[in-house]
């Protein structure tokens, strides 16, 4: 576990195309690439240590939903859910409870990423009644498992971190360039997350070392993507 | 939330998150605007409402609040320019809102900067300005958001509902820079058909959808004093009649206490869309004043400067140009 997957020449080509920000233009976005490199170099750990317990909680929540159903898992996590009328309430509640006490410095980005993850795995529908939301989450977990949920979270969280940390750089981009840059960042993060969770195949019970390995795999993937040129 | 001086900012959101972001903004007390349009889902025989500008949601806020938006699920960034985040132009925003609130059929289209600018004279889109376009066998107006380079085409039916807006017809006026009143003046008794013929405008400089016709002076009371008496022109007022095709433009130039004013009326036997015709007084191609005709086709200009002037009348698909000296 934890081995960095090797890239064939074809995968390298694909990763390179991720950095191409203009359709029909065969030049990579050097400025974006440079900024991403600098950002990664400035971060010894790609994700904060607070993410480790969060991933563990997310995994446990997913397993609980799979074994006991969404209703019971939610009640176990959040207690009374009488006030939840639909998806926005549910995602907010789950995000808040999973993030509770994990960061002294505030966990707004983590909560945002968790909420987006829940939207992703329930079909990106603005308003779903709680039973339908639960049914969709159960279906997703039956198909993709907690690994799928963690993959979505890592992808969303990594891109949110980049959007926030490169805010000043991105805000100086004209609208069309901003669009292609954000899409490129999303694609890179998605690929890095997919590659990083490959090692989760045998991961039934999360332990601190397994989560640490997952996060280091994620950074290794990002670094590799930046270096393929 | 502080509601002092809010501007509309465009939030760039994750794919398919537009409604989620708009809903989350409203829940947090921000004013959100997500323009949508309806398409027919042929597979399920029903109508779907989808975002007009995919990946964009508009939010009314102050610039200082921009960074807070990044914490809303689905928001990736706030759109700006090289100088930083930038609000959407208020007029453009109001135009898009007017279109999506109207009962008319609209859909997204390619953004255009060039073209004939027109204004809707009546109906649900009254005063909406945009670029004239054809939509099937109907007439449409393209309204865009220049910051995002996105646009919407709204169908408005027939051309009689729109009047041209001056700024894009200014090139026509510029062609008149060298045109003097004497070039467009008839000899006494000569009718319009016998007037000095103006060379046609170069097609590259004038929108092909707009026909430009010169109006000639067929009567000038300062030159035809005897006829002026017959027309009952009060002294010191001066009366002019400009004529072209089916149009008569009557002008009365008055001078009171050193200030000149022009009272005018446009008349036509056939055209019924003269109300709200747009009149422009120009000198050397630059607009000095503009006025809109009332229901009787009457208009006026005040504080008219002395010297050679051009009069431009914008009607749907037609521009009338004339020259006079005040």
């Amino acid at each position: 576990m934890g081995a960095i997957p090797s890239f064939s020449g074809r995968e390298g080509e694909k990763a390179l195309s991720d950095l191409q920000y203009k359709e029909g233009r065969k030049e990579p976005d050097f400025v974006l690439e440079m900024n991403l490199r600098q950002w990664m170099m400035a971060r010894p750990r790609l994700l904060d240590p607070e993410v480790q317990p969060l991933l563990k909680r997310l995994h446990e929540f997913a397993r609980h939903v799979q074994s006991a159903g969404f209703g019971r898992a939610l009640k176990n996590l959040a207690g009374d859910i009488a006030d939840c009328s639909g998806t926005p309430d549910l995602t907010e509640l789950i995000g808040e409870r999973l993030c509770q006490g994990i960061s002294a410095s505030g966990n707004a980005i983590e909560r945002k990423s968790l909420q987006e993850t829940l939207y992703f795995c329930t079909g990106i529908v603005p308003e779903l009644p709680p039973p339908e939301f639960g049914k969709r989450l159960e279906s997703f977990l039956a198909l993709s498992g907690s690994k799928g949920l963690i993959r979505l979270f890592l992808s969303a969280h990594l891109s949110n971190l980049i959007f926030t940390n490169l805010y000043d750089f991105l805000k100086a981009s004209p609208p069309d360039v901003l669009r292609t840059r954000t899409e490129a960042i999303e694609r890179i993060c998605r690929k890095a997350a997919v590659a990083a969770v490959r090692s989760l195949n045998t991961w039934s019970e999360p332990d601190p070392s397994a989560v640490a390995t997952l996060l280091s795999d994620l950074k290794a993937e990002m670094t590799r993507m930046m270096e393929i040129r | 939330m502080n509601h002092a001086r809010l501007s509309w900012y465009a939030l760039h959101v994750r794919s398919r998150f537009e409604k989620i972001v708009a809903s989350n903004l409203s829940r947090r007390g921000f004013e959100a605007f997500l323009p949508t349009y309806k398409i027919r889902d042929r597979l399920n025989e029903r109508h779907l409402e989808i975002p007009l500008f995919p990946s964009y949601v508009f939010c009314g806020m102050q610039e200082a609040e921009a960074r807070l938006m990044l914490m809303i699920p689905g928001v990736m960034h706030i759109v700006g320019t090289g100088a930083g985040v930038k609000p959407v132009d208020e007029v453009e925003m109001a135009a898009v809102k007017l279109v999506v609130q109207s009962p008319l059929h609209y859909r997204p289209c390619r953004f255009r900067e060039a073209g004939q600018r027109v204004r809707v004279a009546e109906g649900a889109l009254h005063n909406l300005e945009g670029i004239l376009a054809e939509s099937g066998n109907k007439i449409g107006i393209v309204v865009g958001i220049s910051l995002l380079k996105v646009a919407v085409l709204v169908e408005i039916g027939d051309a009689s509902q729109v009047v041209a807006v001056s700024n894009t017809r200014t090139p026509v006026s510029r062609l008149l820079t060298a045109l003097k009143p004497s070039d467009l003046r008839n000899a006494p008794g000569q009718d319009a058909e016998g007037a000095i013929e103006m060379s046609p405008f170069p097609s590259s400089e004038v929108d092909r959808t707009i026909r430009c016709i010169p109006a000639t002076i067929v009567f000038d009371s300062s030159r035809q004093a005897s006829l002026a008496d017959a027309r009952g022109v009060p002294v010191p007022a001066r009366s002019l009649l400009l004529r072209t095709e089916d149009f008569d433009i009557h002008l009365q130039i008055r001078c009171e206490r050193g200030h000149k004013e022009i009272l005018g009326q446009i008349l036509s036997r056939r055209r019924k869309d003269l109300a709200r015709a747009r009149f422009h007084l120009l000198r050397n191609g630059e607009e000095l004043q503009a006025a809109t005709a009332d229901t009787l086709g009457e208009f006026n200009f005040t504080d008219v400067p002395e010297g050679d002037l051009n009069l431009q009348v914008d009607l749907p698909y037609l521009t009338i140009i004339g020259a006079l000296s005040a």
Side-chain angles (χ1 to χ4, degrees), chain A residues 60-76 134 138 141:
Chain A
E60 284 165 356
F61 174 68
R63 295 296 294 265
H64 203 171
V65 172
Q66 282 178 294
S67 60
F70 174 71
R72 289 183 71 176
L74 186 64
K75 202 163 186 181
N76 184 52
E138 285 168 16
L141 290 171

Side-chain angles (χ1 to χ4, degrees), chain B residues 92-108:
Chain B
E92 293 177 346
M93 197 69 197
V96 171
K97 280 188 162 187
L98 192 63
V99 169
V100 299
Q101 284 162 6
S102 77
L104 300 171
H105 180 252
Y106 59 88
R107 58 188 157 86

Side-chain angles (χ1 to χ4, degrees), chain B residues 10 31 41 46 66 103-104 154 160 163 181 217-218 242 273 314-315:
Chain B
E31 201 177 342
D41 179 6
R46 59 180 183 155
L104 300 171
V154 57
S160 66
V163 289
I217 299 170
V218 294
L242 278 73
D273 54 357
D314 290 343
L315 291 160

Side-chain angles (χ1 to χ4, degrees), chain A residues 54 57-58 61-62 65 70 73-75 77-78 81 84 86-100 110-111 114-115 118 122 133-134 137 149:
Chain A
L54 181 58
R57 282 184 198 178
L58 189 60
F61 174 68
V65 172
F70 174 71
L74 186 64
K75 202 163 186 181
L77 179 77
I81 56 160
C84 288
T87 317
D89 288 333
L90 284 168
T91 56
E92 239 177 73
L93 183 70
I94 298 170
E96 195 180 297
R97 293 300 161 94
L98 287 174
C99 288
Q100 214 163 37
E110 284 81 1
R111 270 188 287 133
L114 272 172
Q115 283 176 260
L118 292 167
T122 54
F133 180 90
L137 184 59
L149 199 64

Side-chain angles (χ1 to χ4, degrees), chain A residues 171, chain B residues 8-10 63 78-81 83-89 146-147:
Chain A
K171 82 174 181 186
Chain B
W8 287 100
Y9 288 84
E63 192 179 347
I78 297 95
V79 178
T81 59
V85 297
K86 193 183 171 191
V88 176
D89 182 276
S146 47
L147 176 68

